[in-house]
Amino acid sequence: VEGIEHIESGQRYVIMANHESGLDIPVLLSALPPSIELRFLAKKSLFRVPFLGWAMRVSGFIPVDREDRSTAAAMLAQTVAEVARGGSPLVFPEETWTLDGRLLPFARGGFLVALKTGLPILPIGLEGPRLVLPPDQGVIRPRPVTVRIGPALPTKGRGVSQRRELTAETRREIDRLRGSEGHVR
């Protein structure tokens, strides 16, 4: 874990990381200090899986319906309300795993949450989870994994009209932080 000094004690963030494997969540849970009360944004369909869905709901995960975009405004309002109750939401702005090491396009939802709540974005680059557990395989290949935490990107004083600029800034920072092993720039 590199850059842990960028995490301010008592500060809440919208945490954003690249998404490359099913290991990303366990890696982040083990790398981030327990003082950060994580709230994951997760696909709504996962909440219907017995036991997993129940555990996610009890743990404060926030359901996101990626299939019905007509509910986006209501979902954003619900997410902002959940975030207001406490915790730091973790968002994978790519929404799904990269299969080839390239960063996928970033969805706007997490950025709107950051701008509406005024919470800074904490960019994180993951290097290695895709090589340990490739998305298209179920075989673990032991290798080092690096979590790089960058300086927080402020959102206070920025309006929703600045979302694209904030998205581009966050994307550049995550791309820098994720290193080069197994990645395509």
Side-chain angles (χ1 to χ4, degrees):
V1 178
E2 300 172 8
I4 200 86
E5 69 275 5
H6 295 299
I7 298 176
E8 260 183 66
S9 180
Q11 173 66 53
R12 293 174 45 226
Y13 301 95
V14 174
I15 300 168
M16 293 195 186
N18 57 306
H19 201 11
E20 40 177 73
S21 169
L23 287 180
D24 295 346
I25 290 174
V27 163
L28 287 166
L29 283 171
S30 66
L32 293 173
S35 61
I36 291 187
E37 189 180 329
L38 286 176
R39 295 285 184 254
F40 292 91
L41 273 68
K43 288 188 293 190
K44 187 177 180 180
S45 60
L46 293 176
F47 287 79
R48 291 191 292 268
V49 176
F51 301 106
L52 173 65
W54 304 329
M56 288 170 59
R57 196 167 308 284
V58 167
S59 298
F61 283 42
I62 301 167
V64 176
D65 189 350
R66 292 185 347 198
E67 291 160 17
D68 185 2
R69 298 290 183 176
S70 69
T71 63
M75 198 169 37
L76 176 63
Q78 177 188 357
T79 303
V80 168
E82 286 289 332
V83 170
R85 285 192 256 272
S88 293
L90 171 67
V91 178
F92 294 110
E94 297 169 276
E95 293 188 332
T96 192
W97 301 329
T98 178
L99 296 177
D100 64 3
R102 288 180 175 88
L103 274 180
L104 300 173
F106 281 14
R108 64 186 185 163
F111 297 97
L112 292 173
V113 169
L115 289 165
K116 290 198 175 278
T117 61
L119 293 176
I121 293 174
L122 186 68
I124 297 179
L126 300 173
E127 183 175 26
R130 190 176 68 82
L131 300 175
V132 174
L133 182 62
D136 57 348
Q137 299 173 18
V139 178
I140 292 178
R141 296 178 175 86
R143 311 178 59 112
V145 171
T146 304
V147 176
R148 289 186 190 90
I149 303 163
L153 305 172
T155 62
K156 274 205 189 318
R158 286 178 151 174
V160 174
S161 64
Q162 295 174 298
R163 179 189 53 82
R164 288 179 194 214
E165 176 186 311
L166 181 61
T167 301
E169 183 181 349
T170 305
R171 184 181 178 86
R172 281 190 304 274
E173 187 62 5
I174 288 174
D175 195 28
R176 181 186 71 78
L177 291 166
R178 68 192 189 117
S180 61
E181 187 172 336
H183 296 130
V184 178
R185 294 220 175 268

